[in-house]
Amino acid sequence: MAATSPVSPISHQLLSRSSSRFWNNAMTPRFCSPVFSISPCLIGVAGIGSASQLRARHPLISSAATTDYLLHDVGATVAVLGGAYALVLSFESLTKRNVIPQSLSRKLVHILSGLLFVISWPIFSESTLARYFAAFVPLVNCSRLVINGLSVSPDSTLIKSVTREGRPEELLKGPLFYVLALLVSVLFFWRDSPTGMISLAMMCGGDGIADIMGRKFGSEKIPYNPRKSWAGSISMFIFGFFISIGLLYYYSSLGYLQMKWETTFARVAMISMVATVVESLPITDQLDDNVSVPLATILAAFVSFGY
Ligand SMILES: C/C(=C\COP(=O)(O)O)CCC[C@H](C)CCC[C@H](C)CCCC(C)C
Ligand SMILES: Nc1ccn([C@@H]2O[C@H](COP(=O)(O)OP(=O)(O)O)[C@@H](O)[C@H]2O)c(=O)n1
């Protein structure tokens, strides 16, 4: 694709190699963004050679690239942390103004937090350290949940938005396991593996929808677990499947994944079925859904996709 910018063709080629893939795809380099891509421009202007060869010959460029990535990832971390805080605050406000009931508010926070977090991963840089910056977001929220769960300094907004009965110690169960699942997905799977994103699609999207649909339409209970219903489980399977496929398509379109779609649909359907069956089991008192569902999904996805 010819560069339509003052950036030379060489820079354009190097942009697509060395700069953040997301910004390159999303912004079709019409200019060298002063924050996100200055180093490839420097490299391009410096002349012929691969980005890594040029960095090796020009320590200044290497440090410029490192600084570029560092600024990029710090900015992305601050933005996503702000998004997390704003999400909880928004739903707490909607609940306080009786726009939506607290139980629905909590479930929407359950569904949206994790899915928006997965969707935000491409805004981090291509650096090998980017996942650790992304992991800082669930890490901060883990700390927030523990501090509030132990009532060290209770944050009423968080407690109202995230607990069932408004008791701080509730934060140390479902919500904490939920955020730990986000942390595991970033650290061990990230955006170049289907496993982590499918586990979050099932825990956040599938399990979250199961609660909403099950409470509303769940008159027919599951024989082996009267606390769960066919409506809830069928909803979890369907929504979990389509949200998983949506995330895989999103990351494939950005170039992070290369899926063999002729087999991917069947694999994801099998994984969604495993997660749905595990979620329906009468084990919630022994093992929280936010542990059993992601664990079962990770196991099934890793066996099915191999990475
Ligand atoms: C309500 C939550 C879990 C309860 O699960 P369950 O008991 O109903 O099964 C979700 C708790 C969310 C947490 C307080 C905030 C997590 C934020 C996340 C790490 C980053 C989101 C960023 C994005 C851009 C909004
Ligand atoms: N498969 C499911 C899951 C939940 N539900 C409904 O949603 C409520 C909450 O489900 P849950 O105990 O799994 O809630 P979380 O642990 O996901 O927060 C249940 O008490 C059911 O009324 C359902 O009917 N069928």
Side-chain angles (χ1 to χ4, degrees):
M1 176 173 55
T4 55
S5 72
V7 174
S8 72
I10 292 175
S11 302
H12 171 66
Q13 288 165 16
L14 289 174
L15 269 175
S16 61
R17 273 208 297 274
S18 57
S19 173
S20 154
R21 185 188 287 111
F22 177 78
W23 289 107
N24 183 54
N25 291 348
M27 295 173 71
T28 313
R30 300 178 187 285
F31 52 87
C32 267
S33 155
V35 177
F36 296 113
S37 330
I38 193 164
S39 51
C41 289
L42 281 176
I43 292 168
V45 167
I48 299 167
S50 74
S52 53
Q53 287 168 337
L54 285 165
R55 284 198 181 112
R57 287 206 300 270
H58 301 278
L60 177 62
I61 291 179
S62 173
S63 63
T66 305
T67 306
D68 175 25
Y69 280 139
L70 188 63
L71 287 174
H72 181 155
D73 288 323
V74 167
T77 304
V78 170
V80 177
L81 271 173
Y85 188 77
L87 182 81
V88 172
L89 207 59
S90 306
F91 278 97
E92 194 268 337
S93 168
L94 290 173
T95 308
K96 192 182 285 184
R97 289 186 283 122
N98 294 318
V99 174
I100 54 174
Q102 199 279 341
S103 61
L104 178 60
S105 166
R106 190 172 67 83
K107 270 306 146 186
L108 290 175
V109 171
H110 177 118
I111 292 170
L112 293 174
S113 295
L115 293 183
L116 290 174
F117 181 55
V118 177
I119 290 168
S120 75
W121 290 351
I123 71 171
F124 291 87
S125 78
E126 290 298 286
S127 161
T128 51
L129 297 178
R131 74 169 70 191
Y132 303 106
F133 282 90
F136 187 70
V137 176
L139 198 60
V140 166
N141 281 274
C142 277
S143 310
R144 203 177 157 206
L145 290 168
V146 170
I147 288 166
N148 285 278
L150 297 175
S151 298
V152 174
S153 65
D155 170 353
S156 60
T157 299
L158 182 69
I159 293 167
K160 282 180 193 158
S161 302
V162 166
T163 61
R164 286 187 177 85
E165 294 151 21
R167 290 181 292 110
E169 56 272 22
E170 290 180 61
L171 296 177
L172 302 177
K173 297 174 183 169
L176 183 59
F177 296 140
Y178 176 100
V179 181
L180 286 172
L182 299 182
L183 190 60
V184 166
S185 290
V186 175
L187 290 177
F188 296 100
F189 300 104
W190 192 219
R191 59 198 176 192
D192 42 12
S193 160
T195 298
M197 53 186 79
I198 295 175
S199 75
L200 298 187
M202 295 312 299
M203 180 186 75
C204 307
D207 187 27
I209 289 291
D211 183 314
I212 295 173
M213 301 300 274
R215 288 177 193 272
K216 197 170 177 64
F217 304 108
S219 54
E220 291 296 315
K221 301 301 182 186
I222 291 177
Y224 54 83
N225 185 0
R227 289 162 67 176
K228 301 289 173 79
S229 67
W230 288 111
S233 292
I234 291 168
S235 304
M236 175 170 179
F237 173 78
I238 293 170
F239 281 84
F241 171 80
F242 283 108
I243 291 169
S244 298
I245 293 293
L247 288 175
L248 295 182
Y249 180 76
Y250 172 65
Y251 277 97
S252 299
S253 64
L254 289 177
Y256 290 102
L257 294 176
Q258 286 77 40
M259 304 309 297
K260 294 176 183 168
W261 290 107
E262 60 277 11
T263 57
T264 294
F265 287 100
R267 292 173 193 265
V268 173
M270 180 276 292
I271 295 163
S272 300
M273 181 56 72
V274 167
T276 302
V277 168
V278 168
E279 191 276 341
S280 72
L281 297 176
I283 57 172
T284 307
D285 294 336
Q286 292 77 30
L287 191 60
D288 193 284
D289 287 355
N290 294 339
V291 177
S292 60
V293 169
L295 275 184
T297 309
I298 284 170
L299 185 62
F302 195 76
V303 166
S304 181
F305 287 105
Y307 65 103

